[in-house]
Amino acid sequence: MLAVRAGDLARLGDLFERHQQPLYGFFVRITGQRTASEDLVQLVFYRILKYRHTYRDEGKFSAWIYHLARKVAADHFRKHTSKAARDVEPEVVEALPDHSPKPDEKAARNDDLALMQSALSQLPDEQREVLVLHRFQNLRHDEIARLLDCSVGAVKVRAHRALATLRDVYFRLRRERLA
Amino acid sequence: MNCERIQECFIDYQSGTLPTADAAQIRNHLKSCLTCQREWSGLQETLLKLDRLPTPVPSGRMAAQFYAWLEEEQRTADAPNPFAIARSRLDALIASWLPARPLFQAAAGLALLLGGIWAGSHLLNEQPSPQPTPSAAEARLLAEVSDLRNRVDSMGQFVAYSLQQQQSGNRRLQGVLTTLDRSETNDRVLAELLNTLAFDPSTNVRLCALEALYPHVGRDEVRAGVLAALPREASPLVQVAMIDFVAAARDHAAAPALEELTRSLSIDKAVRDAARRALVQL
Ligand SMILES: [Zn+2]
């Protein structure tokens, strides 16, 4: 990043290679939209370049990149506030890699993951965000706290609540399916 | 630890980031507490399922778009930027104005800032969008424009005008800057610059117009035009610049106007000081 800040634009390609997948995963899980998420990743790199002079070599670059990503996501949500736009696209679940030999097992497992995907999308935004940052983006609680500008304790409480909600929603959905 | 505290630690316990003593405490508690056992197993299953969710993989389109955009950015960065030339002139000019003029440092900073924003929006408009769909490109542009507006708004303490005015101000600024690069300037252009200096609503545009007039400071009608605009000028930044302008030409015709300024209590003290210094110079 320091090279990019100094004007070496080619090095932005290195940053892209390193961060495109995690960033894409972040946006898909936050927005539930695959196609839009590709554009959002692009926007993050656009802003990295645009705001490169504001980057301070303190802490991890990943903290800064998620700082930008959260703003991009917030802008996206502001523009698409309708519920329809925020519903999870079905292919998010359908596009699972498949290693299961038996069709039954595969169906059951995909069903189960679809339920989890659906439960995750039903979480309140701020709970889902903490969970995604921690479980999928592998940010530590103290890193998330700095990102959200709150205390580590507050992040832990939020993560705990998010997980409890997720569990409740997931088990409820599973009961509904069995019924 | 009570049950509630125990359950709050489950996430850290599960990820193994808990201090050994705390982890041991939780292990012991789980042996004896049925409620927490149920919580723990439900949570473990949830986390297991959550972690099994597939990692979304972007399509090749995303990388292709990114590299197309990056290439374009590099091309733009490598090309000589016409604005940089004008800006370096402005820089040099402001540096020559600088001796003991803190007010002018502020003006210089503002001018460069506005210049930067103008250059940014200018390059943005010229840059082909990497988006294949015009609507997405448009949305992006809109986003950047609103961003630009925020940055302009944040300088409200200096210059407050709306985005609309800012945009047309940019166009006017561009007009003034192109005259900077012209080798010969005819009378019509000089008249336009004087007109801009007297009537343009933007402080920055007026400052630039004054700069563009500097090479012609030796001409009587130019100095007369600047002197005529001086009493009407409301911005201390521009007032000081105008005073320096006539002082640099050692124009004795400016003395009455300057004396007037030193006596006026309604104007900025920095302006009165500048007028006093200019009178000594004359
Ligand atoms: Zn207990």
Side-chain angles (χ1 to χ4, degrees), chain B residues 168-241:
Chain B
S168 56
N170 286 337
R171 234 171 288 132
R172 299 195 302 274
L173 188 60
Q174 199 176 353
V176 172
L177 286 170
T178 49
T179 68
L180 282 173
D181 281 328
R182 238 176 262 166
S183 49
E184 26 65 280
T185 314
N186 61 33
D187 290 352
R188 196 181 53 81
V189 173
L190 285 181
E192 265 172 31
L193 286 171
L194 284 168
N195 197 49
T196 304
L197 177 67
F199 298 111
D200 197 282
S202 157
T203 305
N204 190 46
V205 172
R206 294 201 302 280
L207 276 174
C208 279
L210 190 63
E211 190 219 335
L213 286 167
Y214 245 84
H216 313 283
V217 69
R219 293 179 61 164
D220 292 346
E221 63 271 35
V222 169
R223 289 196 310 276
V226 173
L227 267 180
L230 182 54
R232 246 201 313 267
E233 180 56 52
S235 158
L237 298 180
V238 186
Q239 285 173 322
V240 173

Side-chain angles (χ1 to χ4, degrees), chain A residues 17 46 50-51 96 135 167, chain B residues 39 54 67 124 144 147:
Chain A
E17 290 307 325
Y46 183 63
K50 192 168 152 207
Y51 297 121
L96 300 181
R135 297 305 294 191
R167 180 199 55 200
Chain B
E39 281 285 323
Y67 283 107
L124 188 86
E144 297 311 320
D147 223 83

Side-chain angles (χ1 to χ4, degrees), chain A residues 16-17 20 24 29 38-39 42 46 49-51 96 112 135-136 141 156 160 167 170 174, chain B residues 7 12 14 39 45-46 49-51 54 57-59 61-62 66-67 69 73 124 131 144 147:
Chain A
F16 179 78
E17 290 307 325
Q20 57 150 324
Y24 179 70
R29 283 178 176 123
E38 295 193 346
D39 293 343
Q42 181 82 47
Y46 183 63
L49 193 64
K50 192 168 152 207
Y51 297 121
L96 300 181
D112 224 29
R135 297 305 294 191
F136 297 113
H141 282 140
K156 284 189 179 179
H160 172 71
R167 180 199 55 200
Y170 171 69
R174 206 162 67 167
Chain B
Q7 289 169 20
D12 285 336
Q14 199 269 348
E39 281 285 323
E45 192 183 343
T46 307
K49 290 272 154 58
L50 185 66
D51 290 347
V57 179
S59 74
R61 189 191 72 120
M62 190 173 96
F66 169 81
Y67 283 107
W69 165 77
E73 283 292 326
L124 188 86
Q131 291 299 313
E144 297 311 320
D147 223 83

Side-chain angles (χ1 to χ4, degrees), chain A residues 103-163:
Chain A
D104 286 4
E105 263 178 45
K106 173 190 158 191
R109 201 194 61 165
N110 276 3
D111 247 23
D112 224 29
L113 289 181
L115 284 186
M116 177 49 79
Q117 185 78 62
S118 171
L120 185 62
S121 72
Q122 287 180 33
L123 285 191
D125 287 348
E126 67 278 4
Q127 289 190 4
R128 184 172 54 247
E129 183 176 43
V130 168
L131 218 49
V132 166
L133 287 171
H134 185 53
R135 297 305 294 191
F136 297 113
Q137 314 309 126
N138 299 317
L139 262 59
R140 292 191 318 265
H141 282 140
D142 60 313
E143 291 170 330
I144 298 173
R146 236 172 297 140
L147 194 60
L148 306 190
D149 198 22
C150 64
S151 70
V152 178
V155 169
K156 284 189 179 179
V157 168
R158 204 183 288 180
H160 172 71
R161 285 212 195 105
L163 207 53

Side-chain angles (χ1 to χ4, degrees), chain A residues 160, chain B residues 1-13 18 22-30 33 36-37 39-40:
Chain A
H160 172 71
Chain B
M1 278 199 271
N2 61 17
C3 292
E4 200 181 333
R5 277 289 295 133
I6 293 281
Q7 289 169 20
E8 274 172 16
C9 294
F10 276 169
I11 292 189
D12 285 336
Y13 180 59
L18 224 50
D22 291 353
Q25 223 179 337
I26 288 179
R27 232 182 343 267
N28 280 332
H29 183 92
L30 279 176
C33 176
C36 286
Q37 268 177 27
E39 281 285 323
W40 172 237

Side-chain angles (χ1 to χ4, degrees), chain B residues 40-109:
Chain B
W40 172 237
S41 68
L43 201 127
Q44 264 190 312
E45 192 183 343
T46 307
L47 282 175
L48 204 71
K49 290 272 154 58
L50 185 66
D51 290 347
R52 257 199 219 143
L53 283 180
T55 308
V57 179
S59 74
R61 189 191 72 120
M62 190 173 96
Q65 267 178 17
F66 169 81
Y67 283 107
W69 165 77
L70 183 59
E71 203 177 299
E72 194 54 46
E73 283 292 326
Q74 279 174 292
R75 235 202 314 274
T76 317
D78 292 344
N81 177 357
F83 186 76
I85 300 163
R87 195 165 59 176
S88 69
R89 284 177 169 221
L90 203 59
D91 246 345
L93 176 85
I94 282 159
S96 73
W97 272 342
L98 266 186
R101 295 275 196 290
L103 198 59
F104 245 94
Q105 265 162 328

